[in-house]
Amino acid sequence: MADQRKFGSYPEFFVHYLEEHSDSRNRILHAAGTLLGLVIVVAAFIFKHPLYALAWPVVGYGFAWIGHFLIERNKPATFEHPFWSFLGDFHMLWLMLTGRLQQRLAENGRSVVRE
């Protein structure tokens, strides 16, 4: 379960964030939710229905929370650290898209992750 630890900085939090996302299936769900959430926001404005952008949290967090509750069986970091968790979603997605996530996991001592 996620705890109520206090983190002195975002980099310190991000190490914890990655520990809470050790299963690749959870990371894939996070990536899908984050990307679909972005698509919803962009499409809402392109099609001139800005209120539709309000659906992004349901989609983005829905995918992520399914990953936490059904796969990782832990509590999402969003509950204790909402802003840093939001940043962490995009940070992890960027590392995934640039092919640097596995290296970062290994640097954090997580070279053996559940796949």
Side-chain angles (χ1 to χ4, degrees):
M1 288 288 191
D3 56 33
Q4 294 185 344
R5 285 191 284 176
K6 301 293 181 199
F7 299 98
S9 66
Y10 172 76
E12 183 183 329
F13 168 79
F14 193 61
V15 170
H16 168 74
Y17 181 89
L18 290 176
E19 290 171 355
E20 295 292 307
H21 298 83
S22 62
D23 193 301
S24 62
R25 297 170 299 169
N26 185 27
R27 293 191 302 267
I28 289 168
L29 284 170
H30 274 67
T34 301
L35 289 170
L36 286 172
L38 285 173
V39 167
I40 287 170
V41 169
V42 170
F45 288 97
I46 287 174
F47 295 110
K48 298 180 180 165
H49 293 286
L51 285 178
Y52 291 176
L54 297 175
W56 79 262
V58 175
V59 172
Y61 287 113
F63 276 80
W65 292 355
I66 287 170
H68 282 289
F69 295 130
L70 299 180
I71 295 172
E72 294 277 1
R73 302 207 185 272
N74 61 18
K75 189 166 86 174
T78 304
F79 296 161
E80 304 299 331
H81 307 283
F83 181 69
W84 280 353
S85 178
F86 181 76
L87 292 179
D89 288 341
F90 286 95
H91 189 174
M92 185 171 66
L93 176 63
W94 178 252
L95 291 173
M96 291 171 81
L97 293 175
T98 59
R100 298 186 324 211
L101 182 62
Q102 291 304 318
Q103 176 186 346
R104 180 62 189 263
L105 291 168
E107 289 170 3
N108 290 344
R110 300 292 299 173
S111 58
V112 179
V113 293
R114 290 180 283 155
E115 295 298 332

